Amino acid sequence: MLPPAAESAAADFAAAETTDRTQSSALAENGADHLQAPPSALPQGAPEPQGHLAAEEPYGAGSAGAGADGSGPAEYTVKGDAGSMVYYEEGHPDYDGTRADVWFESAAHAEAAGFRAPRRRRL
């Protein structure tokens, strides 16, 4: 015989399992089988979905994803390093040596996305 708390937990689990099966059946009956599979479930070689806002503005308004070579749109001049969440403006000593993961229209856009300016170097 199980203690009362264990019996209650077992009953809750059984009820939840029944509810999950009922909801799955209801979705199938109502035509929810047309839902799209997640991109990771797409067949190999299938083209990646295009035009999604997250791809165009990965860090919100004023951001753009970097091209395969690290380049960005001409009007976006602030480079973002997503690994360190640091942005670099033109004129910074590390600007040319930094490969951008994301580009921003301005430092304000980068900061709004959670990026920070590089720390000052001590001389």
Side-chain angles (χ1 to χ4, degrees):
M1 184 167 153
L2 294 173
E7 286 179 7
S8 176
D12 289 346
F13 178 76
E17 192 173 86
T18 301
T19 300
D20 286 346
R21 272 192 250 124
T22 303
Q23 287 174 346
S24 294
S25 297
L27 286 173
E29 289 170 12
N30 291 322
D33 57 346
H34 70 281
L35 296 176
Q36 204 173 31
S40 61
L42 292 174
Q44 237 178 0
E48 202 55 39
Q50 298 295 317
H52 190 274
L53 184 60
E56 295 170 13
E57 296 181 329
Y59 288 90
S63 71
D69 62 351
S71 65
E75 63 276 8
Y76 289 54
T77 59
V78 177
K79 293 180 177 183
D81 179 346
S84 63
M85 295 297 286
V86 172
Y87 68 85
Y88 298 89
E89 295 181 89
E90 288 180 303
H92 187 277
D94 294 333
Y95 184 85
D96 290 330
T98 299
R99 181 182 170 100
D101 297 315
V102 61
W103 289 83
F104 294 100
E105 284 186 69
S106 68
H109 286 99
E111 289 178 10
F115 284 70
R116 64 170 177 78
R119 289 191 167 81
R120 294 183 183 187
R121 295 182 185 175
R122 292 188 177 175
L123 298 173

